[in-house]
Amino acid sequence: MRIKFGCRFHLDLPQPTPMIALLSAHYSRAGDLERPDYVVTTPSVPLTAYRDGFGNWCTKLVAPAGAFSIGSSGVLHDTGAPDPVPPDLPQTPVEALPEDTLTYLLGSRYCDTDLLSDEAWRLFEAVPSGSRRVQAICDFAHRHVTFGYEYARATRTASQTYAEARGVCRDFTHLAVTLCRCMNIPARYCTGYLGDIGVPPPYPPGDFSAWMEVYLGGAWWVFDPRNNDTMPRIGRVLVARGRDAADVPLIHSFGQNTLTGFEVWTEETV
């Protein structure tokens, strides 16, 4: 299967503004690309690429004042297989976890484990540990939170999502990540492309998506609390991973800007 994917952000800036963009496919999918999905800007500006501490591809630039657009596009080869469904996997005791997973047990900007720990244990202590407990957390987040683009708020934390019971895909993910961490299960936030391949219409407008990866049985597994009610999804294209959304903003602007429009596309192509 070949998947055409890409995005374009249109901005208006009052002055030259430094930016960091995370718009390229994750390095773990580099071998699946027909060609590098380079970041392109209009007008053209010098770009510097680097890998951050989580292994994500980042592009550093200074956007000029006025109208500015930035994006990337590519074609990726995919197996066409749905997300793997984990078997009944055990939970690794904290003392036996690999050191590089431990940061994903801790609270972070949007995953306020200190405020949800007691509630997590109240809700899920009786659920068998391991993959069944993670699935129960995803089921809960999916049922508890009402989805709506009108509910988007950049500052909403997991505890606020729990209290308000509404949000967008990042809020579903922050809540599920936080509840997993409260139960001593490493969980990390993921962002990327997720189209509608294999899903019946009607299709919503193109957008980026958020999901999580959870460490079980010695490996990381994909769980998607927002799309928990559908069949495992096909053609997920990872862009970046981190502790939460604060680590993986698609565009981090070090100054004021106005988003005047954006486009996102993910579709099967011949």
Side-chain angles (χ1 to χ4, degrees), residues 2-265:
R2 296 170 74 240
I3 298 174
K4 180 171 65 174
F5 67 96
C7 64
R8 197 75 174 165
F9 292 82
H10 304 278
L11 307 167
D12 188 70
L13 300 109
Q15 61 188 19
T17 304
M19 292 183 173
I20 297 173
L22 282 76
L23 300 178
S24 300
H26 194 261
Y27 77 89
S28 60
R29 300 302 304 267
D32 299 324
L33 291 169
E34 287 192 359
R35 56 173 175 79
D37 54 338
Y38 293 124
V39 170
V40 177
T41 69
T42 303
S44 180
V45 298
L47 305 174
T48 302
Y50 69 95
R51 289 259 294 273
D52 68 11
F54 298 99
N56 305 311
W57 286 117
C58 303
T59 301
K60 185 172 64 171
L61 64 131
V62 177
F68 179 74
S69 64
I70 180 170
S72 67
S73 64
V75 176
L76 181 141
H77 290 265
D78 192 83
T79 64
D83 294 331
V85 177
D88 188 6
L89 293 171
Q91 179 173 329
T92 304
V94 172
E95 63 272 19
L97 286 169
E99 286 76 9
D100 61 357
T101 68
L102 296 178
T103 190
Y104 300 108
L105 287 178
L106 307 178
S108 54
R109 166 67 180 85
Y110 293 105
C111 297
D112 41 356
T113 53
D114 54 333
L115 298 183
L116 284 177
S117 181
D118 290 346
E119 193 66 358
W121 282 95
R122 184 186 71 81
L123 290 168
F124 304 110
E125 184 175 15
V127 178
S129 65
S131 53
R132 284 188 283 178
R133 181 172 285 171
V134 175
Q135 188 58 56
I137 288 171
C138 289
D139 292 343
F140 172 81
H142 184 82
R143 291 192 311 266
H144 183 74
V145 183
T146 299
F147 179 86
Y149 287 110
E150 68 275 19
Y151 301 142
R153 190 173 78 239
T155 59
R156 184 183 286 118
T157 64
S159 64
Q160 290 170 338
T161 298
Y162 180 73
E164 298 171 18
R166 61 184 187 181
V168 292
C169 60
R170 64 179 260 161
D171 301 307
F172 284 75
T173 302
H174 283 147
L175 178 58
V177 164
T178 303
L179 294 172
C180 285
R181 292 179 187 174
C182 289
M183 304 304 293
N184 299 327
I185 305 169
R188 60 192 183 190
Y189 181 95
C190 300
T191 187
Y193 296 92
L194 180 62
D196 298 299
I197 299 169
V199 177
Y203 303 130
D207 200 356
F208 284 95
S209 187
W211 61 89
M212 68 177 182
E213 292 175 348
V214 175
Y215 191 82
L216 293 167
W220 291 97
W221 295 86
V222 168
F223 285 84
D224 188 343
R226 162 71 180 98
N227 296 293
N228 197 51
D229 61 334
T230 61
M231 66 185 76
R233 300 296 292 270
I234 297 170
R236 201 180 291 272
V237 181
L238 178 67
V239 169
R241 299 184 179 114
R243 292 167 298 179
D244 59 30
D247 290 331
V248 292
L250 299 170
I251 297 176
H252 190 129
S253 173
F254 295 89
Q256 292 184 340
N257 71 82
T258 301
L259 179 67
T260 59
F262 75 98
E263 307 136 53
V264 180
W265 58 92

